[in-house]
Amino acid sequence: MMERRRMEAAFLVVVLGHLATALEVPLDLPQPPTITHQSPKDYIIDPRENIIIHCEAKGNPHPSFSWTRNGTHFDIDQDANVNMRAHSGTLVVDISREKADHYEGVYQCTARNSHGTAVSNNIVVRQSRSPLWSKEKIKPIVVQEGVSLVLPCRPPAGLPPPIIFWMDNNFQRLPQSSRVSQSLNGDLYFSNVLREDSRSDYICYARFPHTQTIQQKQPITVKVINLDAINDTMADFYNDTDLFSEDPVDERKPTFLIPSGLFSVKMVLRGQVLEMECIAEGLPTPEISWTKVSGYLPAKRTSFLHYQKTLRIVNVSESDAGDYRCTARNRHGSAQHTISVSVIAAPYWISDPPRNLVLAPGENGVLTCRASGTPKPKITWAMNGVPIENAPKDLSRKVDGDTIIFTDVQTGSSAVYQCNISNDYGYLLSNAFVNVLSESPRVLTPANKVYQVIKNHPALLDCTTFGSPIPIITWFKESRSSTLDGDPYILHDNGTLEIHVAQARNSGKYTCVAQNSLGNYENHVYLEVKDPTRILKQPEYKVVQRGRSVVFECKVKHDPSLIPIMTWLKDDGELPDDERLVRGPDSLTITDVTENDAGVYTCIMNTTLDHDSASAKLTVVERPEPPTDLELTDQKKRSVQLTWTPGDEHNSPIQKFLIQYEDLLHHRGHWHNLTEVPGTKTTAHLKLSPYVHYLFRVLALNAVGFSSPSFPSRMYKTEPAAPDENPTGVQGFGTEHDNLVISWKPLSGLQSNGPGLHYKVMWRQNLTDSDWTTVVVSNNSKFVVSGTPTFVPYQLKVQAVNQHGAGPEPATAIGYSGEDLPVAAPENVWSVVLNSTLAEVHWDPVPLKLIRGHLKGYKVYYWRERSLHKHNPHHVQKQILTFSGNHTHGMLPGLHPFSLYSFNVRVFNGKGEGPSSRTKEFETPEGVPGAPTFLVVTNPNLDSLTLEWSPPHDRNGRITGYTLKYQPVNNSNEPGPVKELALSANETSVTLRSLKYSTRYKFYLNAKTDRGAGPAISQEATTIIDEAQPANHFGNLSSSIGEEGALISWEYWGPEKNVYVEYIVENSEGEEEWQKELVNGSQNVMLKGLKGGLSYRVRLVAEGHHDQPLHHSDELLVTVPGEAVPGRSPPPRPGPAPCSVASRQVDIATQGWFIGLMCAIALLILILLIICFIQRNKGGKYPVKEKEDAHTDPEFQPMKEDDCTFGEYSDNEDHKPLKGSRTPSNGTVKRDDSDDSLVDYGEGGDGQFNEDGSFIGQYSGKRASRDTGEGHESSEAPSPINAMNSLNSFV
């Protein structure tokens, strides 16, 4: 039955929970009291200051206050030391006339008005205490080295407990380690003591935080001894002291000092801090580790203190209960201790504390007081401070455990309810009122409030309302077309409208409407979505040398409607006030950088809505300071130890030290490098030489450079000694055939090792046991022995000697006396011809004794006597090939084929060459010939030309014939098909016929022998131009005026590569020059910048070699309209192809039959035009169909518009597509894209003629106008004059 009632109550709570929520009631409406501020439950006061016990509350009417003390009414008026603040329940106790401890106790505040009563927590007021340390006499503690030790602190109990720490007489904290550490209770533990632990100032200090006082214990003296070092006379003294052990202390495995035993128990409150410690003694010092036996340590809440001896877990929960094991371990073993932890809990809220209820008459509601604890807490209810069971009965109220259910409440049932939850470890007290009101809605959010948010951030639009019954909130935007209750909008229970990711389109006016049964209320707010602030270019890490400048850039983008403020920080603080730091709009410049400028610089761009920041580090570097304090130690005859102190490295690590020395005896004023050591070392072992007065100095090197040298060390003299080494580079050679020069590299002053340095020079012939010849040489490095036989080997020795003795036994070197010229020539000289340009020569070596010197090699002298061809002259130019070393053969490359060669061989030594061998001869076989000497073109005609040449200069054999190849080449340098012609050996010219007229050809001619064909000589030539145009390589020259300028087009078939356009104003004075425009290989050019209203003479020029004349085209007269070109004239539109085709054959215009035919056609056209003119003047109107039928007769069609031919008189041969062109399906000829022509510029004005009758005008595009319907030209027949002009241009 009880369980069923609980289920029904729970269901009712769920249903009623949706009917009412906690509301903030405006203070202008009636409401019961609410406690807004009160002192903490455990209130520790300072006895030196007045006592203030807080109690603040609100309500309407404003509440009155009363207090209880230790459960009974506290009459404030009866105590002159106690006052209550106006409009408040806060008590102020004046302790100047009464001690503070007189007012210790449990206080509770009550706030009441006509609608109810609220009560505060029980406030326990206690005075803080910091008692003095008890007086005690502490004896010195004497312990044997290696044993464990505990120094007790035992501070006086205070409120709150003091903070403990150990220091010495100088107020310096005593060093702690894994061996020495402080426990949680303040004692100082030594796992084992050492001799250095002896001291007389172990002082324990206690700091009482509430009164900010510090007290100290009497100092403790500790003496650590080693019994083996104590004699019998001291034994009595130590027997009178607290000596812990008399036996020597050996190493031992760990045992725990605290906690004791194998198992212990610990209890901790939920939400508090759990601290467990294990301190062990042992030798060597044990290491401590922790594990949880029944699970894992919570990583985020766990820390280890006091060198792993303390395990600390914060914010303890029930899951932290269990067994924890600490292990102490050293090399002799381990010890373990298990701590069982149980978690208890004072009451704590499972859900929120009960909230105030505002209900309209007839509404329902619930108050829930749901909490938990260990052990399980007890829940009691009170109404207006009176236990609920003693309160007046109310049928609308029902208490069910932790819940009070209200149904059909009525006016006048307002009250404050108290929920009290308690167990053995604490309590929770909460006030919640039930206020029965009838109130129409009101919106508490300010009207027309503007919300500004950053794009892509959440936007929260408030609509804080009040009403009873609780109003329903509805949101609209702009025109109120629909409510805002779906994506991207989220409507919260408190009326706030959230846009999770605000965008620019979300900006605008929003309306919040609050409505209940008593009315409605609306409020307008505005949302502005701003662009975010972003740093586009962040400052970068800088390394700069002292004295230079550095710039940190910080370029930012922000919303233009927000005011940005850029702030620079250094090391998270303000920038120094220094004129060297210059702030720019997007940068920070630091001039004359010093070491104090090093640090982290942060650029912060703030707006009213957001900010962005970026940081960069500045490192200031400089050459290191010179080392100091040079000292010489470990001084020996041949070495010394040098030590020094490094200088400041200025933020750039020292890479190495360079040690230099000065020899005051031999080389005063000059410093020499001696050795280098890494930058991590500050000592160097220097190897020294005898008989030197040394000064040393040190330089440091970092990434910036070398430091200045240090101050020199003191002078260090080494004693003289015999030389340690002999001269090097001993050699013997002869300058004459009968002498021997012995030379060596002398010792330096540093190598001499003493005064009186001289050299003992010794020599004798090699391979003999004769005595050494010895001389003494001073102040020289060579000695000449005269009267020696020629080129004989000698053994040589040079020994260094000074006043203190001779150097070591010298090594023996081999030298030779002087050389003489060889006396013999190579024998058995012969040759082998390998091919037409290579031969191999062989010889027998000359005996070494006949060479009379060092064999350097052999030289082969060879020369070309003559060519084997009868026409070639003799050649007697000698050549020499040298073969170093003892060779017996060699190759002779680069020979001329078909030639007679002579050669001889000689041996040579260091003195020179010996006699030559007998001269031998060999012949080279035939080879391929060289190119013909020349190739020229003579007698060019329309279709033939003659080639003449001369045989090769280097025939290299008997010429058996010639091969001629030739091919045409067009204007684009594209070669045509190759033709080949074989010619006999005795021919030196050939005439080629059936060539194309006015065509460029390329010719290749080479000669042949039996070995093959040689290289070719090439030549170019052009057949002569058409007889009608014998000197002009240009044709179809025309112009077209467009928006961009005057387009000049032409065709060119000449051989010259350099073609350009020249133009000049017509009738210009003589001093004006022709303007030049290069064409870059194309056949059209756009002339720009011509002045409107002027006529220009235009011509094309082809330029050949410097010794050839220029070729000019006929001049073209181009008239520019009134506006300059480019100007306002319409662009040319495509029209029918111009009726002008270049002819490269015989001009048919000079043929009589053709002239007669053209005259007949012209007469027919004239008659047709006259008839059309007469019919038009009669006013006759003809249908379009009749006009079309009138032109079906070919007789009346002077030209075909498609292909510009004259009907049946079309000459198809003249209109074949040119090479490289394409023929469309309609039969018109169209050039490649790169080859512009008049076809591309077909529309324009009427044609014009020059004085010589050449056509220079443009072709009208009437057909194009008719096709597109854009033109309004006359449809009458063309003028006969124009027709004739077109005809002349065509032919």
Side-chain angles (χ1 to χ4, degrees), residues 695-727:
L695 287 181
F696 301 102
R697 70 182 186 184
V698 183
L699 293 85
L701 175 69
N702 65 7
V704 182
F706 274 105
S707 69
S708 300
S710 67
F711 288 112
S713 68
R714 61 181 175 84
M715 186 173 66
Y716 184 71
K717 297 180 180 180
T718 54
E719 298 296 326
D724 294 324
E725 54 187 314
N726 291 309

Side-chain angles (χ1 to χ4, degrees), residues 552-572:
F552 288 110
E553 291 186 284
C554 185
K555 295 184 178 179
V556 183
K557 177 184 177 183
H558 62 88
D559 192 284
S561 65
L562 300 177
I563 299 176
I565 299 175
M566 179 173 285
T567 305
W568 285 92
L569 303 178
K570 178 178 183 283
D571 297 329
D572 295 329

Side-chain angles (χ1 to χ4, degrees), residues 963-966 978-982:
T963 300
L964 174 65
K965 297 180 181 180
Y966 61 97
V978 179
K979 292 187 178 180
E980 186 174 324
L981 186 63

